[in-house]
Each structure stands twice: as C-alpha cells, then as structure tokens.
C-alpha cells in the first residue's frame, strides 16, 4: 500500500518555490496567482502562443485550464504541453465543463490524450472525460464522487495521470504497480463552492506540489519518458511521489478550507480568510489532514 509523508511534501514545496505557468481561466487568474503565492509557489500567467512554449522550458510546472479559452490560449497550451512532455515536466489538466459543448470537449480530449501528469475536475467532468458520462451543468457537477471512481480509475489507466475528483470529500486515484489506489481527503467548508477560483486554483497548486515532488527524486530527468508514456512501466517511486503530491495539494486545500471558516460571515470574508489560511498551513497542519488510502476493489472497475 502506498504511504504518504505530507509534512515532507509541504517542506519540499516551500523550499523549492516552484514557478508555475498558468494557461487558465481568465476569470480566476488573479485569485490563482494569489493562491500560488500563499502556498509558497511563484505564479506566471503567460498564455500567449508567441512565448508560452519558450516559457514552459523555464517553468517548474504547468496548469492547462480551458475555462475561458481563447484561440491564443489553445495554441499556447499546445506549445507548452509539447515542451513539458519533452522535458518531463509536470503539467495538470483541468477539464472545465467537458461534455457541455462539442468544441470545448474535443480540445480537452485532445489535451488528455497528450498524457497529463494529473487531471483534476469535479465528478461529472471526470466521468465525461472517461467516456462514461455526459458532463455536468456548466462548471457544476451533477454526479457524486464515489459513483465516478471507476471512471477515474479507467482514466488513470488510459492516460497515465493521477486523477483527482473534487467534492465534499475529494478522491485521488492512481494506477501504480498494477493496482488502482484511491486516497480520500476530507475537509473544506460549505462556502468554498461559492468563491470563484477555488477549484481552478487547486489545479495550479497541484502543479506546484508535483513540481516540488520532481525536485525530490534522485534523478528526475530519468523519469521523463515514464511520466508521459503509460504503455511503459512507470517507476513506482516516481509514480508514488506524484500520487503523494496530488494528495498533498488537496489536503492543503481541505485543511485551509476548514481554517478559513473561522470568522467568515459569507463568501467575501471567506475568500480573504482562505488565502490567509493557505499561507498558515504548514507541514504539521498538513500531516494532520484527514486522508485515508485504499485499493480500489476490482469489482468497482469500469468497462466502457
């Protein structure tokens, strides 16, 4: 069974201060930048095709989020993904509203086929991307997290990505050494869905933790092909490190979400409190996050 050291994951993030390139939803750019700064990373919102690829060579990790994608962002994403894959750098796909409309869905599926390091979305988005659901209502989920775990496992096996499903209790699924593992992360607060950017910024923080995890590998460059080629046997140490990183990002948000509830009177004050809480979450607090790890039962597998 995979084991996690969330305290060390947080220490690596704070020590490495990874530079995260965000090709993301224009509605949440400022919030996502502030979130990255609060957790100990550095944001860069370079999303024009003329320089996105070059900057991806400088960045530690990348977020691809087509929430309000322009033609510039679509081309920028293509360029950045190519560079990230060639360099073995981690990149995260947030499949916002996949299944809602045809063109968006086709572009998200194309990105998913390029083997992201992690995929993070709500239950309906994950089901739709796995080909076993129709998607949600815009950015809102109409499915339950546990109900789509088989779809998440299917997506993890097909893409090689760590797949995270957001909900009242988050679930993170990884296919390692022939086994589908699921980590459940409890926490957060009921006001989180009322603050625009909490989900999108979680994708950015996931990229930051993945980038920090890569710096902790004995030879990160040696894993470059395994990260992005599911047909090859991925190194279990590197795969476990990526699993831990994605769980750490979700645990960081879960713990901060609970801390931010103290004194919040509504979505506005909660948003401010949340940034402060993200900054306050240290290794000790993260180590106390409510995380459980299990193997996904074979009977829960999905055929589609």
């Amino acid at each position: 069974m995979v084991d996690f050291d969330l305290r060390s994951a947080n220490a690596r993030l704070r020590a490495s201060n990874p530079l995260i390139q965000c090709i993301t939803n224009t509605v949440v750019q400022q919030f996502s930048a502030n979130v990255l700064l609060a957790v100990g990373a550095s944001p860069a919102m370079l999303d024009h095709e003329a320089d996105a690829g070059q900057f991806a060579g400088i960045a530690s990790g990348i977020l691809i989020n087509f929430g309000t994608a322009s033609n510039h962002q679509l081309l920028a994403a293509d360029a950045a993904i190519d560079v990230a894959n060639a360099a073995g750098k981690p990149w995260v796909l947030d499949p916002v509203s996949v299944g809602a409309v045809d063109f968006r869905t086709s572009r998200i599926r194309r990105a998913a086929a390029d083997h992201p390091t992690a995929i993070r979305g709500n239950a309906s988005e994950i089901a739709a991307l796995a080909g076993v659901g129709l998607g949600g209502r815009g950015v809102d989920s109409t499915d339950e997290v546990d109900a789509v775990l088989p779809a998440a496992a299917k997506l993890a096996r097909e893409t090689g990505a760590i797949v995270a499903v957001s909900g009242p209790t988050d679930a993170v699924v990884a296919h390692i050494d022939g086994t589908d593992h699921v980590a459940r992360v409890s926490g957060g607060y009921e006001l989180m869905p009322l603050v625009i950017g909490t989900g999108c910024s979680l994708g950015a923080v996931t990229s930051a933790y993945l980038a920090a995890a890569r710096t902790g590998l004995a030879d990160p460059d040696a894993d470059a092909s395994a990260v992005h080629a599911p047909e090859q046997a991925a190194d279990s140490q590197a795969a476990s490190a990526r699993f831990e990183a994605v769980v750490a990002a979700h645990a960081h948000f879960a713990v901060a979400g609970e801390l931010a509830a103290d004194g919040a009177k509504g979505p506005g004050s909660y948003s401010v409190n949340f940034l402060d809480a993200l900054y306050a979450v240290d290794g000790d607090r993260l180590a106390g996050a409510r995380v459980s790890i299990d193997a996904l039962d074979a009977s829960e597998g999905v055929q589609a």
Side-chain angles (χ1 to χ4, degrees):
M1 180 61 67
V2 176
D3 194 18
F4 296 137
D5 182 357
L6 300 184
R7 182 182 283 106
S8 294
N10 182 260
R12 282 192 296 270
L13 174 63
R14 298 284 185 179
S16 60
N17 184 229
L19 176 62
I20 305 304
Q21 181 179 7
C22 297
I23 300 173
T24 190
N25 190 335
T26 57
V27 177
V28 303
Q29 286 181 346
Q30 180 173 333
F31 188 81
S32 295
N34 284 332
V35 164
L36 282 169
L37 289 169
V39 303
S42 294
M45 305 301 177
L46 275 82
D47 60 0
H48 193 283
E49 74 269 23
D51 54 18
Q54 181 181 4
F55 193 83
I58 300 169
S60 309
I62 299 162
L63 168 66
I64 304 296
N65 176 320
F66 292 144
T68 56
S70 65
N71 287 334
H72 288 303
Q73 284 190 326
L74 293 171
L75 293 170
D78 291 341
I81 289 169
D82 285 346
V83 171
N85 282 344
K89 294 186 178 184
W91 67 277
V92 175
L93 174 64
D94 190 332
V96 178
S97 298
V98 64
V101 289
D102 292 344
F103 179 71
R104 170 187 296 275
T105 298
S106 69
R107 289 298 274 126
I108 292 172
R109 291 194 185 283
R110 174 175 160 184
D114 282 333
H115 308 303
T117 314
I119 299 170
R120 189 224 67 82
N122 64 38
S124 295
E125 290 165 345
I126 296 303
L129 190 56
V132 296
L134 298 177
R137 186 191 65 178
V139 298
D140 297 326
S141 178
T142 56
D143 293 295
E144 300 296 328
V145 171
D146 280 350
V148 304
L149 289 182
K154 175 178 181 287
L155 192 59
R157 291 192 298 269
E158 291 177 348
T159 64
I162 310 297
V163 179
V165 191
S166 295
T169 296
D170 296 334
V172 182
V173 177
H175 186 72
I176 301 173
D177 292 336
T179 300
D180 296 321
H181 302 270
V182 57
R184 292 178 172 86
V185 183
S186 301
Y189 189 62
E190 61 187 13
L191 288 177
M192 288 185 78
L194 301 181
V195 177
I196 291 295
T198 51
C200 294
S201 60
L202 177 53
V205 172
T206 298
S207 182
Y209 268 99
L210 283 165
R214 184 173 183 266
T215 66
L217 294 175
D219 185 4
D221 292 328
D223 187 52
S225 61
V227 170
H228 301 293
E231 68 273 14
Q232 300 180 15
D235 176 80
S236 60
Q237 178 202 7
S240 295
R242 294 193 293 275
F243 190 21
E244 177 183 83
V246 177
V247 170
H250 286 71
H252 198 137
F253 261 52
V255 172
E258 289 185 332
L259 289 174
D262 187 18
K265 298 178 181 178
S269 54
Y270 183 81
S271 177
V272 174
N273 287 359
F274 184 59
L275 286 174
D276 289 344
L278 287 168
Y279 180 77
V281 172
D282 56 13
D284 289 338
R285 281 193 164 116
L286 201 60
R290 299 195 301 278
V291 178
S292 64
I293 315 168
D294 299 290
L296 198 61
D297 195 296
S299 65
E300 297 181 84
V302 61
Q303 303 295 326

